[in-house]
Amino acid sequence: MATHRDLSIGVVGGGIGGLSAALSLLAAGFDVQVYERASALGEIGAGLQVSPNATRILHGLGLEKELAETGVRPRALLQRRWEDGRTLLDTPQGDRLEAAFGFPYYQMRRADLLAALAAAIPPERLHLGRRLTGLDQNHDVVRAEFADGSSADVDVLVGADGIHSFVQGELFGAERPRFTGCVAYRGLIPSDRLSHLSLEVTTQVWLGPGRHFVHYFVGGGRFLNFVAVVEQDTWTRESWTDRGDVADALAAYDGWHPQVSAILGTVEETYVWALFDRPPLPRWSQGRVTLLGDACHPMLPFMAQGAAQSIEDGAALAACLAENPGDPAEALQRYERIRRPRAGHIQSLSLENKTRFHLPDGPGQQARDAAMADGATNLSMNAITAIYGHDATLLPAL
């Protein structure tokens, strides 16, 4: 009978999903190697939110101290009206959320979380500059071939290589992600530039016709992360992420509440990021190869669950392989059966929020606001319980 240490696992991709999966697999006792195409680790985007369903896993991997040092614990999530600033929904976070779910909610710089994950990986297991160019598998082994001419034979290969996933294309055929009709201006602002606004330590989501605006503190409170999402018919830039024009962002929010324009007025540099997704895949796995994170369920960031779901994927994958190391292909099928419905559901909730956040003023918007006042939206305390209370390390009974 195969044991954990007999099983070698290659993880393709050194982002948050790939590194957290590698740590979960290492903690389960597997022989893990990570292959990242870039010569240095990096993450697209400035900030992210790490909800209790993810901090539960990260604490279990020994990163509690690192999260506390670099994360910010917001008091609440506020959803506000674009013009008058009225609070439509106040969802508790902070101590109340931790008491409800047992683990904290953090706002963080992506770079801080990535650095914490990378520091926990033994350096000899992290291989940079290794771009995957081919893979081949038989009943017993997967061979990964890289652009530098090297190769690796592993028992299991995990594609954590993002929305452009090479592994996904090799398994099921290349499929171009779809432009969702939204672009996001994003960046970080030193907090001292905003001291005159006396901003609360909250996540604030401003809802308005055809766009929304998000801001929250990161980096231990040293920076304010902002994301300004605007509907746009087409995307013509060659890069998915490029320098944006601050004047364009200001113009897009002309007439909005003074707090929004005041925040944007302090911005010196912004990047613009096209938001892409893909319909849920019918399959994630083939033989001894599987996918996780954006490689199989890229989602809009409107539930703040993209990173959390990739972290859940890695924990569930490790648990499935630990349960059945003697039959990796069946373990991957079990992983897929467990994870695909949950990730697909959260994908759909994220897509629904694109419509809900951007309603034009009128009857639909008024009905939305009334539902929010009743706590009936998917970011209310009642609605998020199924997301935040989930423990991906616990597998359902066979």
Side-chain angles (χ1 to χ4, degrees), residues 98-168:
E98 185 168 358
F101 299 110
F103 295 88
Y105 190 111
Y106 284 115
Q107 302 163 158
M108 300 187 69
R109 294 194 305 174
R110 285 183 171 270
D112 289 337
L113 179 55
L114 191 71
L117 292 167
I121 302 281
E124 69 274 11
R125 295 184 177 274
L126 180 56
H127 309 279
L128 303 178
R130 303 288 287 275
R131 179 169 65 86
L132 186 69
T133 56
L135 65 88
D136 186 36
Q137 67 170 315
N138 58 37
H139 180 70
D140 298 317
V141 70
V142 183
R143 169 157 290 188
E145 299 175 344
F146 302 98
D148 62 3
S150 64
S151 63
D153 289 344
V154 294
D155 296 309
V156 172
L157 188 76
V158 181
D161 49 344
I163 194 171
H164 292 294
S165 174
F166 178 87
V167 178
Q168 188 268 335

Side-chain angles (χ1 to χ4, degrees), residues 189-200 217 224 262-263 266:
I189 306 168
S191 299
D192 55 11
R193 289 191 205 156
L194 300 161
S195 57
H196 61 289
L197 295 179
S198 301
L199 296 175
E200 287 186 299
F217 288 103
L224 186 80
I263 291 171
T266 68

Side-chain angles (χ1 to χ4, degrees), residues 2-293:
T3 65
H4 295 20
R5 293 187 183 279
D6 291 330
L7 210 63
S8 61
I9 302 173
V11 177
V12 178
I16 288 170
L19 294 187
S20 60
L23 284 178
S24 288
L25 290 162
L26 285 168
F30 295 109
D31 175 14
V32 184
Q33 305 290 329
V34 180
Y35 303 97
E36 164 57 39
R37 64 180 293 163
S39 58
L41 295 177
E43 273 285 322
I44 293 175
L48 83 168
Q49 304 192 44
V50 189
S51 48
N53 49 314
T55 52
R56 170 193 300 275
I57 296 165
L58 297 174
H59 280 200
L61 295 173
L63 299 180
E64 182 175 357
K65 178 183 176 186
E66 289 79 2
L67 296 183
E69 287 177 347
T70 60
V72 174
R73 297 174 74 244
R75 177 193 68 78
L77 164 66
L78 305 181
Q79 296 189 59
R80 304 181 66 179
R81 182 162 160 76
W82 70 280
E83 187 176 33
D84 58 16
R86 178 163 47 93
T87 296
L88 303 172
L89 185 67
D90 184 337
T91 304
Q93 294 179 322
D95 291 341
R96 183 172 167 188
L97 201 67
E98 185 168 358
F101 299 110
F103 295 88
Y105 190 111
Y106 284 115
Q107 302 163 158
M108 300 187 69
R109 294 194 305 174
R110 285 183 171 270
D112 289 337
L113 179 55
L114 191 71
L117 292 167
I121 302 281
E124 69 274 11
R125 295 184 177 274
L126 180 56
H127 309 279
L128 303 178
R130 303 288 287 275
R131 179 169 65 86
L132 186 69
T133 56
L135 65 88
D136 186 36
Q137 67 170 315
N138 58 37
H139 180 70
D140 298 317
V141 70
V142 183
R143 169 157 290 188
E145 299 175 344
F146 302 98
D148 62 3
S150 64
S151 63
D153 289 344
V154 294
D155 296 309
V156 172
L157 188 76
V158 181
D161 49 344
I163 194 171
H164 292 294
S165 174
F166 178 87
V167 178
Q168 188 268 335
E170 288 292 287
L171 292 184
F172 307 118
E175 179 183 336
R176 290 178 63 86
R178 63 187 179 187
F179 176 52
T180 62
C182 291
V183 299
Y185 296 88
R186 58 183 176 80
L188 297 173
I189 306 168
S191 299
D192 55 11
R193 289 191 205 156
L194 300 161
S195 57
H196 61 289
L197 295 179
S198 301
L199 296 175
E200 287 186 299
V201 182
T202 54
T203 305
Q204 297 197 24
V205 183
W206 298 74
L207 313 183
R211 64 209 63 213
H212 72 281
F213 185 79
V214 182
H215 62 83
Y216 53 86
F217 288 103
V218 296
R222 299 188 307 278
F223 300 95
L224 186 80
N225 178 72
F226 74 91
V227 186
V229 178
V230 180
E231 291 185 5
Q232 180 172 300
D233 291 337
T234 59
W235 177 254
T236 57
R237 295 177 187 263
E238 293 182 3
S239 172
W240 285 27
T241 177
D242 205 347
R243 287 187 182 274
D245 190 328
V246 176
D248 289 343
L250 280 165
Y253 291 87
D254 183 44
W256 281 50
H257 189 274
Q259 180 172 308
V260 174
S261 56
I263 291 171
L264 285 171
T266 68
V267 174
E268 294 183 350
E269 178 182 74
T270 185
Y271 289 82
V272 64
W273 170 29
L275 300 184
F276 287 77
D277 70 359
R278 182 184 286 119
L281 293 175
R283 296 175 62 197
W284 292 5
S285 307
Q286 187 179 95
R288 291 172 174 251
V289 183
T290 195
L291 305 169
L292 67 74

